[in-house]
Amino acid sequence: MTENTQQQPASTPELPTQYAPAEVEGKLYERWVERGYFEADAKSDKAPYTVVIPPPNVTGSLHLGHAFEHTLIDALTRRKRMQGFETLWQPGMDHAGIATQNVVERELAKEGKSRHDLGREAFIERVWQWKGESGGQISGQMKRLGDGVAWSRERFTMDEGLSQAVQTIFKRLYDDELIYRAERIINWCPRCLTAISDIEVEYQDDDGELVSIRYGEGDEAIVVATTRAETMLGDTAVAVHPEDERYRHLVGREIELPLTGRRIPVVADEHVDPEFGTGAVKVTPAHDPNDFEIGQRHGLPNLAVMDERAVITAHGPFQGLDRLEARSAIVAALRAEGRIVAEKRPYVHSVGHCSRCKTTIEPRLSMQWWVKVGPLAKAAGDAVRDGKVRIHPQEMEKRYFDWVDNLHDWCISRQLWWGHRIPVWYGPDGEVVCVGPDEEPPSGEGWHQETDVLDTWFSSGLWPFSTLGWPEQTESLAKFYPNSVLVTGYDILFFWVARMMMFGLYAMDGTPPFHTIALHGMVRDQFGKKMSKSFGNAVNPLDWMDKYGSDALRFTLARGANPGVDVPIGEDWVQGSRNFANKIWNATRFALMNGATVEGPMPASEEMSATDRWILSRLNSVVAEVDAYYEDYQFAKLSDTLFHFAWDEVFDWYVELSKTTFMGGGEPAKVSARVLGEVLDVTLRLLHPVVPFVTETLWTTLTGGESVVVADWPGAVSVPGAEAPGGFRDAAAEREIELVQRVVTEVRRFRSDQGLQPGQKVPARLALDGTALAPHEGAIRQLLRLQPEGDSFHATATLPVAGAEVALDLSGAIDVDAERKRLAKDLAAAEKEKAQATAKLGNEAFLAKAPDNVVDKIRGRLAKAEEDIERIGAQLANLPQG
């Protein structure tokens, strides 16, 4: 019996006849939490293992992406806990500035109010009230999934401690001149009325129009094309490439800007591609990021022509129009003046939308707060290049470097009320004072605080250390920082991961926030399509957990989790995982009924049958494989290995091969019962991190132990008298049982080909003398439903296999004439299929015209027909001769 496994009671433990997940999962989870299994002690002398939860939005609910990621993290932390580490899975939620403000504003709108009716302080109180009543439902759903997080340590990115961390790092960055205020082009949402980050912009192909407009007259004429005609009101130049001979005579001259009465210069700039379109571009510095850069290089004025709601502010007939209304009106006016050279509609192009409200975003010149990311990004890149941080899978490193090596300064201010308010005060004479958490802000007439709040990613970038008490030098910070691993999706590698790397290295004296970044893919439907409500293929994971149990969902997700690769999932796969849970349950129940035990020492090798030695040898191989896969974050491979070992080798082979031993009783049955108990004990512990609920019930019943959550992670099993560094191994026993498997598999295939039912008994003579199969005749006969040959035995089919011979008497088992007619009919159909496919593939005219996929399909039909002909011919040859 392995360490930390208690002896089972003298009476035989019993299990219900069926496993009912809904009846046990909730109770088990409550017991785990009550007993404090998931808590982490900063004073412990155990080695630490730390993972932070990627903080879900307080507005969110559990979706399949969460369930997938949480399953992987839970598997890692449960295993490390069993290995004796002081394990902390840090939970918490993100305040989700824009999303949360939108939710509460919608609630106010139902009352006929806006946030401005309440005022800032009352509105923020309303948001906190909403959080207390409705926010955070995802926590309860995480418990349903089985997340082993340290609930007593739960944090929120707006709680007092994290607010202090935000203010502290802002002050330090500001004092180090890494935070500054400047007027730049940002992504602006005219609905949410705030700047938004790149990650909050979703791009999609929209139908628009491409309009070519003639600026100037005569030899000054120049044609530009745009999809946003309304922005021409803010043009302050036309740009051409310096080496473009077509426009060299215009560079430095001014031309007329239609509809405005203004004249604008033609400038030469290498940003312009002379091969694209007309080789000339309109320059609107206040409404386009590339144009802003051109404007900066040439000292052009920034002329804003839209307000924060994307309403035209430029004087003239278009003033007061929404941008889309103005677009149509301006094109019509230009057409009336003969300025439209060409129009293309629909013109499909990529357009950015606010991820929260789906409004088309507007590039807008705005005064904002920025982080100077250059030195921070360099440190984040060097940490990976120097090997301080490992990205897994390694091929994702290139994407990481492509991002951090080319980062632009980060706009961190948001025009919201809900969030961390920027700790900067402005004075009556233009003073600007940044205030730290322990400093008193300036007061008096004319002083006021910045109204903007910080980007949500600013506070979530501090997550690995702010949750541990930083800036205070707490015991938890000393014990659990840096994190052991970050498990997250490759889709936020650039946004969240990069920010944590920058802030962690900066705040923690060059110590990165984690040793390893393990990246996973996205969950998709069974056809590989992105899940979306609009596609009608979105799935609520709670529905599947209700129907099949949490273990079934978890196992399905883990079994599809190849590093960095998207994960397809369908309901039938979850159903298959439910069947696996039932198989574990039923097999363990059978084992307990037949005396499987963990009581007493393991038998010596010479006391065991070859079947016993085989399964223990295979068990130790699987233990080593699973450990290696865990260390390489190969969740799919470890899950698949455990599935096939448990289902195929333990339940379908070892249990079945041992039935004759159990029926025979005596000392061999006791030995096999002890071996089976050990195999189940280890297998259940190996399975526990991925399927925690069913394994908890089975393991505690089998062993009488307190909980598999705190049991030891299994190592190699040793056998008295046959100790070895990697545990007991027996290659000879493995070869011997492989022969048994070959015989059983081949005869089963033959029986099936002959149309015999699985349970149908057939007389047989087994010639096994002199082979390793001889001791297994009883088991082979039982598995194959083979009766003794008897006096009237007549061998109608003889199968040589694995060095032995199996003779079967099928004369009374099947209607030979009917079977011969059925097979002859199938053979004729296969030969007809072959003739048709052969004829098509021999037709040159057909091959010349048919698509490749059609030709390939016919080649497949031919191969299948030839295979069927060979198979049916063999079946006919093996039929008893009448």
Side-chain angles (χ1 to χ4, degrees):
M1 184 170 60
T2 53
E3 188 181 353
N4 203 39
T5 303
Q6 300 178 14
Q7 291 188 359
Q8 69 181 29
S11 59
T12 302
E14 293 185 359
L15 288 168
T17 55
Q18 290 185 320
Y19 176 51
E23 295 178 13
V24 301
E25 290 179 350
K27 295 174 185 176
L28 286 180
Y29 191 86
E30 287 178 12
R31 185 189 308 160
W32 294 335
V33 172
E34 287 169 3
R35 293 180 177 179
Y37 292 156
F38 304 139
E39 296 303 323
D41 182 3
K43 293 182 171 64
S44 166
D45 58 1
K46 295 179 182 178
Y49 186 82
T50 316
V51 186
V52 293
I53 196 169
N57 288 352
V58 66
T59 60
S61 59
L62 192 74
H63 57 62
L64 271 178
H66 288 129
F68 173 53
E69 186 167 82
H70 290 201
T71 294
L72 305 187
I73 300 174
D74 198 40
L76 289 175
T77 52
R78 283 179 182 270
R79 173 175 176 260
K80 286 295 181 181
R81 190 177 293 111
M82 295 171 76
Q83 286 182 314
F85 286 79
E86 192 62 37
T87 303
L88 169 60
W89 183 8
Q90 173 66 53
M93 286 184 293
D94 193 288
H95 66 276
I98 295 177
T100 305
Q101 182 158 315
N102 279 347
V103 168
V104 178
E105 285 195 86
R106 283 196 294 270
E107 293 295 315
L108 286 174
K110 295 176 184 177
E111 303 169 16
K113 298 177 182 178
S114 73
R115 61 185 165 116
H116 300 284
D117 294 325
L118 273 65
R120 185 169 192 141
E121 289 187 10
F123 176 76
I124 290 173
E125 287 180 11
R126 181 70 176 260
V127 178
W128 280 108
Q129 179 186 341
W130 173 87
K131 178 189 179 291
E133 295 173 355
S134 307
Q137 66 173 358
I138 198 170
S139 297
Q141 296 165 345
M142 287 164 56
K143 294 173 183 177
R144 281 286 314 278
L145 189 65
D147 285 5
V149 300
W151 287 112
S152 69
R153 292 172 171 266
E154 187 173 13
R155 303 303 298 269
F156 180 54
T157 52
M158 284 285 285
D159 68 30
E160 184 177 349
L162 269 67
S163 294
Q164 184 183 28
V166 167
Q167 198 170 349
T168 299
I169 201 164
F170 188 99
K171 171 70 172 173
R172 291 187 186 180
L173 290 164
Y174 182 87
D175 289 347
D176 287 343
E177 298 183 348
L178 292 173
I179 282 183
Y180 64 94
R181 191 168 182 247
E183 193 175 41
R184 299 276 184 84
I185 293 284
I186 44 87
N187 300 312
W188 182 264
C189 176
R191 157 61 184 79
C192 298
L193 299 180
T194 181
I196 60 176
S197 66
D198 291 337
I199 196 173
E200 292 163 327
V201 179
E202 293 180 347
Y203 287 90
Q204 65 184 49
D205 288 340
D206 286 357
D207 286 345
E209 59 180 352
L210 181 67
V211 182
S212 298
I213 309 167
R214 177 171 52 81
Y215 288 12
E217 299 288 354
D219 65 350
E220 290 184 349
I222 193 167
V223 176
V224 299
T226 181
T227 58
R228 299 162 68 217
E230 68 279 8
T231 63
M232 67 159 292
L233 301 176
D235 286 359
T236 55
V238 170
V240 298
H241 194 274
E243 297 179 5
D244 194 331
E245 293 291 339
R246 292 172 295 175
Y247 304 117
R248 185 164 297 207
H249 67 289
L250 290 176
V251 174
R253 294 169 63 178
E254 290 188 343
I255 61 174
E256 180 189 352
L257 178 64
L259 305 181
T260 66
R262 291 191 290 115
R263 293 182 69 79
I264 58 175
V266 177
V267 299
D269 195 282
E270 292 189 351
H271 169 76
V272 180
D273 180 1
E275 302 298 324
F276 184 76
T278 63
V281 296
K282 59 192 287 297
V283 182
T284 321
H287 294 279
D288 184 273
N290 293 322
D291 293 3
F292 177 79
E293 298 296 332
I294 294 174
Q296 292 291 100
R297 288 193 287 272
H298 297 277
L300 300 174
N302 301 317
L303 183 58
V305 295
M306 278 181 256
D307 66 11
E308 69 274 10
R309 297 183 185 275
V311 173
I312 301 299
T313 57
H315 292 296
F318 312 108
Q319 186 174 8
L321 294 180
D322 171 79
R323 56 182 166 168
L324 299 181
E325 296 171 333
R327 183 177 301 172
S328 299
I330 287 169
V331 170
L334 290 167
R335 191 183 297 113
E337 288 192 3
R339 294 281 182 178
I340 300 297
V341 176
E343 296 179 70
K344 183 177 181 181
R345 64 169 65 87
Y347 178 73
V348 178
H349 60 133
S350 182
V351 178
H353 296 259
C354 174
S355 63
R356 303 298 177 191
C357 67
K358 311 309 177 187
T359 302
T360 300
I361 63 105
E362 191 66 42
R364 185 169 187 255
L365 186 64
S366 180
M367 183 66 76
Q368 302 284 345
W369 285 91
W370 304 81
V371 171
K372 187 185 295 182
V373 300
L376 302 173
K378 182 181 184 304
D382 289 346
V384 175
R385 289 188 172 93
D386 297 345
K388 289 182 181 178
V389 178
R390 180 171 70 104
I391 293 179
H392 187 279
Q394 190 174 1
E395 54 265 27
M396 287 287 182
E397 281 187 3
K398 182 180 183 301
R399 297 179 67 176
Y400 176 78
F401 292 136
D402 286 346
W403 180 257
V404 297
D405 293 346
N406 297 284
L407 266 180
H408 298 294
D409 285 0
W410 171 21
C411 176
I412 55 172
S413 45
R414 298 290 180 266
Q415 290 64 53
L416 304 170
W417 287 356
W418 174 244
H420 294 283
R421 195 167 176 180
I422 291 176
V424 170
W425 272 254
Y426 303 108
D429 298 318
E431 302 96 332
V432 179
V433 177
C434 181
V435 178
D438 300 321
E439 301 171 350
E440 286 294 325
S443 58
E445 187 176 350
W447 283 94
H448 64 280
Q449 186 180 357
E450 168 66 70
T451 57
D452 288 356
V453 301
L454 288 164
D455 177 12
T456 297
W457 294 100
F458 190 94
S459 52
S460 59
L462 314 180
W463 194 246
F465 51 94
S466 64
T467 51
L468 298 173
W470 187 91
E472 301 299 323
Q473 297 304 306
T474 64
E475 286 183 321
S476 290
L477 187 66
K479 177 76 174 179
F480 296 114
Y481 186 91
N483 282 205
S484 306
V485 63
L486 173 74
V487 179
T488 191
Y490 63 70
D491 57 319
I492 56 173
L493 172 64
F494 315 129
F495 306 105
W496 187 46
V497 179
R499 281 151 173 67
M500 285 191 290
M501 285 285 283
M502 292 191 295
F503 282 167
L505 290 160
Y506 174 79
M508 300 300 292
D509 300 320
T511 302
F514 18 73
H515 297 302
T516 300
I517 302 168
L519 298 170
H520 58 72
M522 316 307 293
V523 178
R524 297 181 177 272
D525 72 10
Q526 59 189 337
F527 306 108
K529 190 174 182 179
K530 179 181 178 181
M531 285 193 172
S532 166
K533 290 181 181 178
S534 60
F535 295 155
N537 63 350
V539 173
N540 182 347
L542 295 173
D543 293 340
W544 282 351
M545 287 193 281
D546 289 342
K547 195 170 182 180
Y548 303 111
S550 298
D551 285 333
L553 176 63
R554 289 171 61 115
F555 193 72
T556 305
L557 291 166
R559 209 172 169 196
N562 290 297
V565 179
D566 288 347
V567 182
I569 184 171
E571 185 171 0
D572 55 336
W573 302 342
V574 184
Q575 185 175 354
S577 295
R578 189 271 313 272
N579 295 343
F580 178 53
N582 288 342
K583 183 79 170 181
I584 302 170
W585 183 273
N586 292 333
T588 305
R589 187 169 176 271
F590 167 84
L592 290 171
M593 291 169 61
N594 283 274
T597 181
V598 295
E599 188 175 358
M602 286 294 292
S605 174
E606 59 269 17
E607 297 177 53
M608 298 183 196
S609 67
T611 307
D612 295 330
R613 298 195 303 275
W614 161 73
I615 198 63
L616 287 176
S617 184
R618 286 294 304 129
L619 175 67
N620 282 334
S621 295
V622 167
V623 169
E625 287 173 30
V626 169
D627 276 330
Y629 287 141
Y630 261 115
E631 295 305 315
D632 200 34
Y633 305 100
Q634 298 279 358
F635 297 98
K637 290 182 178 179
L638 72 89
S639 300
D640 211 48
T641 296
L642 287 170
F643 173 86
H644 287 294
F645 175 71
W647 191 308
D648 301 344
E649 298 188 78
V650 178
F651 305 147
D652 279 359
W653 283 108
Y654 180 71
V655 168
E656 292 298 324
L657 287 169
S658 300
K659 282 182 178 178
T660 52
T661 304
F662 289 135
M663 287 188 292
E667 194 60 30
K670 291 180 181 179
V671 169
S672 290
R674 180 65 188 88
V675 170
L676 179 54
E678 187 74 11
V679 171
L680 286 175
D681 171 21
V682 173
T683 302
L684 290 170
R685 282 186 281 154
L686 289 173
L687 280 165
H688 172 72
V690 182
V691 284
F693 295 107
V694 67
T695 51
E696 171 79 339
T697 304
L698 296 176
W699 187 86
T700 53
T701 304
L702 171 71
T703 68
E706 177 189 344
S707 171
V708 70
V709 177
V710 291
D712 285 344
W713 180 251
V717 176
S718 294
V719 170
E723 290 84 359
F728 176 76
R729 298 293 175 92
D730 191 330
E734 290 193 38
R735 288 193 297 270
E736 185 172 322
I737 300 305
E738 283 173 9
L739 291 177
V740 175
Q741 291 171 326
R742 278 180 56 193
V743 169
V744 172
T745 301
E746 287 296 321
V747 176
R748 277 177 175 166
R749 183 181 296 118
F750 176 78
R751 286 175 56 109
S752 175
D753 287 344
Q754 299 305 313
L756 295 175
Q757 296 300 313
Q760 193 171 353
K761 295 181 178 180
V762 175
R765 180 174 61 240
L766 275 60
L768 307 179
D769 291 345
T771 73
L773 295 166
H776 304 283
E777 179 169 351
I780 292 171
R781 283 188 175 276
Q782 180 174 317
L783 288 169
L784 290 171
R785 305 293 189 269
L786 301 180
Q787 296 176 316
E789 54 262 45
D791 296 336
S792 59
F793 179 80
H794 172 61
T796 59
T798 302
L799 306 176
V801 57
E805 195 173 81
V806 178
L808 303 174
D809 182 355
L810 304 180
S811 56
I814 58 174
D815 184 333
V816 176
D817 289 338
E819 187 65 12
R820 184 172 284 111
K821 288 178 182 178
R822 183 185 70 81
L823 291 172
K825 184 178 179 181
D826 291 347
L827 180 62
E831 288 173 338
K832 181 179 180 181
E833 176 73 2
K834 177 184 176 181
Q836 290 175 341
T838 302
K840 283 193 175 183
L841 293 172
N843 185 333
E844 295 296 334
F846 169 77
L847 293 177
K849 295 179 181 178
D852 289 345
N853 64 318
V854 173
V855 175
D856 288 343
K857 187 175 180 180
I858 292 172
R859 288 193 178 115
R861 285 168 49 191
L862 175 60
K864 175 68 166 52
E866 290 174 338
E867 181 183 310
D868 288 345
I869 290 169
E870 182 178 355
R871 175 179 56 80
I872 297 168
Q875 289 176 246
L876 282 167
N878 284 319
L879 279 176
Q881 299 301 312

